[in-house]
């Protein structure tokens, strides 16, 4: 048994590499730092990593260096092409990782891409997991994200204490790609609750209701949901800062519908949600707003 495996067995602290210091990533890093982990970080724009560097994270210049200097590496990027570059690029993780490295992709990406990452890891003797997250900026800050994992049970067991510092629901759903499939199911559900929340708001406004009172009442009954509880108050305040950006949600809906097509199933409600977010992002140029900004396309 090599020294790395002994470290896991005895529960010693790991050095964590983290790539992606956006809204979600920065809070996840801060929770790792609070838990006592040493954290190496990389981001495409170094200035966006300054807050976590100030909190004690160590900057490294490439994903390759992150892999060389870390026991476990977590990635959370914007789009699948970003993930490909991080893992397979000239200075990517697979250039620096070895059999003592575990790679965890927490980007919401395509199941097929994480299956490719797993296959490449198998060739090189490197353990990998896909572990997308849900819970938005609030969940990331509080450390109570839902983390949906795909990969081998043995790998999952080794890193679960690390994932537990960032999430309150951390579950393995099967082999490589199954975490991403679970996240797609999650996003399909959110598509329904987000469109319901913004259309409820538009209906109530047009009917001349007290919107705050309406939301409070609806949230106490059977229509209550996460989107209403977390994004309804932001809409009332005119706060459209992204807990999760619309352009990334549109990407997720496209991935979900691509998967549905491959499985020969029809998801008409999700297709409609995708059309609405496409309009928000591309026609209204509001892709950097939070998903609650969908309400703007209803404004007269």
């Amino acid at each position: 048994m090599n020294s790395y495996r002994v470290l896991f067995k005895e529960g010693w602290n790991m050095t964590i590499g983290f790539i992606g210091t956006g809204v979600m990533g920065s809070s996840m890093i801060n929770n790792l730092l609070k838990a006592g982990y040493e954290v190496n970080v990389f981001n495409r724009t170094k200035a966006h990593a300054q807050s976590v560097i100030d909190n004690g994270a160590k900057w490294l210049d490439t994903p390759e260096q992150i892999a060389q200097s870390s026991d476990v590496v977590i990635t959370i990027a914007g789009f699948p092409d970003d993930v490909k570059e991080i893992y397979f690029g000239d200075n990517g993780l697979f250039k620096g990782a070895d059999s003592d490295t575990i790679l965890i992709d927490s980007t919401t990406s395509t199941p097929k891409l994480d299956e490719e990452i797993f296959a490449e890891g198998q060739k090189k003797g490197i353990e990998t997991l896909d572990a997308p997250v849900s819970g938005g900026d609030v969940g990331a800050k509080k450390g109570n994200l839902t983390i949906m994992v795909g990969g081998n049970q043995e790998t999952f067991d080794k890193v679960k204490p690390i994932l537990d510092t960032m999430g309150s629901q951390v579950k393995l759903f099967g082999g490589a790609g199954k975490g991403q499939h679970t996240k797609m199911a999650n996003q399909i559900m959110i598509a329904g609750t987000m469109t319901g929340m913004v259309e409820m708001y538009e209906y109530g406004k047009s009917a001349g209701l007290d919107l705050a009172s309406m939301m409070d009442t609806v949230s106490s009954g059977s229509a209550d949901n996460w989107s209403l509880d977390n994004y309804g108050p932001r809409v009332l305040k005119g706060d459209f800062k992204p807990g999760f950006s619309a352009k990334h949600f549109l990407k997720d809906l496209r991935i979900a519908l691509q998967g549905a097509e491959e499985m020969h199933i029809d998801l008409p409600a999700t297709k409609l949600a995708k059309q609405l977010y496409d309009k928000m992002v591309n026609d209204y140029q509001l892709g950097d707003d939070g998903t609650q900004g969908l309400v703007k396309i209803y404004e007269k």
Side-chain angles (χ1 to χ4, degrees), residues 174-247:
K178 295 300 186 185
Q180 296 293 357
H181 278 299
T182 308
K183 181 62 185 288
M184 288 305 106
N186 183 85
Q187 300 305 77
I188 289 165
M189 185 67 193
I190 289 176
T193 60
M194 286 301 301
T195 54
M197 188 270 290
V198 299
E199 292 197 353
M200 176 202 69
Y201 175 86
E202 180 62 20
Y203 185 95
K205 182 174 70 172
S206 297
L209 300 179
D210 180 312
L211 296 175
S213 180
M214 177 195 70
M215 286 193 178
D216 183 60
T217 299
V218 169
S219 67
S220 68
S222 59
D224 190 30
N225 63 79
W226 194 96
S227 297
L228 175 59
D229 292 343
N230 287 274
Y231 289 127
R234 299 189 195 192
V235 171
L236 289 175
K237 295 175 184 176
D239 177 4
F240 301 107
K241 296 190 295 294
F244 185 61
S245 71
K247 64 185 178 184

Side-chain angles (χ1 to χ4, degrees), residues 17-82:
F18 206 106
I19 298 176
T21 59
V23 172
M24 300 290 288
S26 293
S27 292
M28 293 164 74
I29 291 164
N30 286 333
N31 284 321
L32 289 168
L33 290 167
K34 289 175 187 175
Y37 291 105
E38 294 182 8
V39 183
N40 300 319
V41 296
F42 172 80
N43 192 68
R44 189 161 47 191
T45 304
K46 184 176 181 180
H48 294 166
Q50 193 57 53
S51 65
V52 294
I53 294 170
D54 291 343
N55 287 340
K58 178 182 178 182
W59 172 266
L60 295 177
D61 290 326
T62 66
E64 180 179 6
Q65 290 179 15
I66 290 284
Q68 290 170 340
S69 304
S70 308
D71 301 305
V72 175
V73 181
I74 301 168
T75 59
I76 185 162
F79 294 91
D81 284 346
D82 300 322

Side-chain angles (χ1 to χ4, degrees), residues 139-169:
K141 287 176 183 175
K142 291 182 177 179
N144 62 5
L145 291 168
T146 296
I147 304 179
M148 298 154 269
V149 187
N152 290 337
Q153 181 75 53
E154 181 184 68
T155 308
F156 174 74
D157 291 341
K158 291 172 185 173
V159 301
K160 189 172 184 297
I162 296 169
L163 299 178
D164 284 340
T165 67
M166 300 175 288
S168 57
Q169 284 277 357

